[in-house]
Amino acid sequence: MGGNLRILVTNDDGIFAPGLNQLVQNLSSFADVLVAAPDRERSATGHAITVHQPLRAVEREVVGATKSYAVSGTPADCVKLAIESLFPGEVDLVVSGINRGANLGTDVLYSGTVSAALEGVMLDVPAIAVSLAQFRQPCFELPGKLAAHLVNALWKQPWPADTLININFPGPEYDYPKGVKVTVLGRRRYQNAVQRREDPWGGTYYWLAGETDDRENVEPTDVWAVQQGYVSITPIHFDLTDYKLLKTIENWRLGLPGKDPAQG
Ligand code: MN
């Protein structure tokens, strides 16, 4: 085809998020960047899509992007809309991020950042998700530079069309990552995940919060790698089938009872 690589950038922190704007600037040094991102924060919306109300896409300038839209939906909506309607046939690669906060282990199932990338893959467009393990006052300058380097390097490699690449950068305890580790998804558990409180009128309400308990996450998990100061790279696909169990369950010889003749 020739011409520049065309990258769709999206996120779940919203189109005005510093992480997205930094990423667009860095990627635009070697690619044509298009943007379709939520018009507000949509973190932890997972793979939700909007089907009970209309979606609006409004042009909003993002420095470094050829064209950019703020979309009134979820991250998955943005990617669907971009690939099918806003930029049809114009997207070679989806890059989602840079998210404020890590997306590691089982948390990828809650992640809007990862789900946006997954939506790309589901529409046959290769995709990369990028997150930074820093939530308070994140600094995206270095991760933006390193992400652009890795995206450029990954794009030159062939990888299966149904696989997305999940990248996580270590937090501020490390002023430069120790290197890159290719990892598997860990398992994120939370302590005191549900906090129960009382409102001024005596009613009960809850906050989903809690601290992570990562003790069981050893090498080669993504959680371990980021804790140790490495950039974690995990290939992920949407096929959740447990292939190890197929034969076992077949051997259970599950069947149905004979059909009742009265049912016709
Ligand atoms: Mn987010």
Side-chain angles (χ1 to χ4, degrees), residues 39-260:
D39 60 4
R40 71 202 87 157
E41 167 143 15
R42 295 285 195 162
S43 290
T45 50
H47 212 113
I49 55 169
T50 304
V51 291
H52 297 296
Q53 54 191 44
L55 289 170
R56 310 255 179 209
V58 180
E59 270 200 69
R60 283 267 178 277
E61 200 194 325
V62 171
V63 176
T66 318
K67 203 155 197 193
S68 49
Y69 288 95
V71 178
S72 63
T74 63
D77 288 331
C78 291
V79 173
K80 232 184 233 305
L81 220 63
I83 291 175
E84 307 262 316
S85 184
L86 300 173
F87 312 118
E90 294 173 53
V91 179
D92 302 315
L93 176 69
V94 174
V95 181
S96 179
I98 300 171
N99 189 58
R100 176 179 166 217
N103 280 303
L104 297 164
T106 28
D107 279 353
V108 302
L109 294 170
Y110 302 117
S111 167
T113 307
V114 175
S115 294
L118 203 52
E119 185 64 35
V121 161
M122 286 164 64
L123 297 171
D124 297 319
V125 178
I128 298 170
V130 186
S131 306
L132 171 64
Q134 182 179 12
F135 192 76
R136 292 198 173 86
Q137 299 180 310
C139 179
F140 291 105
E141 212 175 304
L142 178 64
K145 225 160 86 181
L146 300 180
H149 169 86
L150 289 171
V151 168
N152 198 15
L154 283 165
W155 177 247
K156 294 179 177 135
Q157 304 294 335
W159 79 77
D162 61 351
T163 298
L164 82 90
I165 308 282
N166 190 35
I167 301 179
N168 278 271
F169 287 97
E173 319 82 90
Y174 302 93
D175 48 279
Y176 200 87
K178 289 184 193 166
V180 169
K181 291 275 181 198
V182 179
T183 57
V184 304
L185 288 180
R187 184 159 183 182
R188 278 226 125 160
R189 292 185 197 276
Y190 286 83
Q191 285 188 327
N192 312 314
V194 178
Q195 289 177 17
R196 193 169 184 271
R197 296 185 190 172
E198 206 170 277
D199 68 30
W201 298 274
T204 301
Y205 69 99
Y206 304 89
W207 269 109
L208 298 183
E211 294 93 54
T212 52
D213 176 358
D214 289 325
R215 282 170 297 183
E216 69 185 270
N217 285 289
V218 293
E219 193 174 3
T221 64
D222 53 354
V223 179
W224 168 85
V226 166
Q227 268 174 355
Q228 297 299 313
Y230 292 97
V231 179
S232 165
I233 296 191
T234 314
I236 295 177
H237 55 71
F238 51 73
D239 184 350
L240 299 177
T241 312
D242 186 345
Y243 289 93
K244 296 189 299 290
L245 220 56
L246 283 178
K247 270 275 163 289
T248 306
I249 296 183
E250 266 169 29
N251 288 335
W252 293 349
R253 308 235 169 265
L254 298 170
L256 301 175
K259 193 175 171 188
D260 184 350

